[in-house]
Amino acid sequence: MRARTRIAVAVLALPLLTGLASCGEIQEAQQGLQDANQQLQGAQQTLDSAQACLRAINAANFVPNFADPQKAQADAQAKVAELEQLTSATADETLKQNLLDVQESVQQVADGKVDIEAGAEWTSAQLDKYQAVTTTCSRLAE
């Protein structure tokens, strides 16, 4: 009789034990999905930063044609608008400050404060600002 009782208890307990094992597997699968989701979000943030840096580097690479002052001013005004958008969309404070520096410099051209005589000096200073943007972006990519 005792043997039958033990067998009956074992048979009845088997689905319960199987269910508990399944719960553990479900929890492991859920944890795996959460980990994968976190990795995906991290990859998306890296991609967003890389895209922002690419746009920032392209914008900071601005050098107008000082031989045509009107076109230089018009191009600079368009670049200032682009830089304003990039700056407002940038999360990294260092990159944001770099872009503000570039924007301020380009604004001088847009305002007509930089002419062909001062163009070489402006271009040299602009190159320094461009290098600051690329340095910040290379740091962000690490």
Side-chain angles (χ1 to χ4, degrees), residues 21 24 29 32 37 42 51 82 93:
N37 188 37
Q51 289 173 340
E82 179 184 349
E93 290 301 317

Side-chain angles (χ1 to χ4, degrees), residues 28-55:
E28 286 178 25
Q30 285 176 333
Q31 184 62 43
L33 288 173
Q34 287 175 349
D35 293 345
N37 188 37
Q38 287 175 346
Q39 289 175 350
L40 183 59
Q41 287 175 349
Q44 183 63 46
Q45 288 173 346
T46 301
L47 179 60
D48 290 346
S49 293
Q51 289 173 340
C53 273
L54 181 59
R55 289 191 305 268

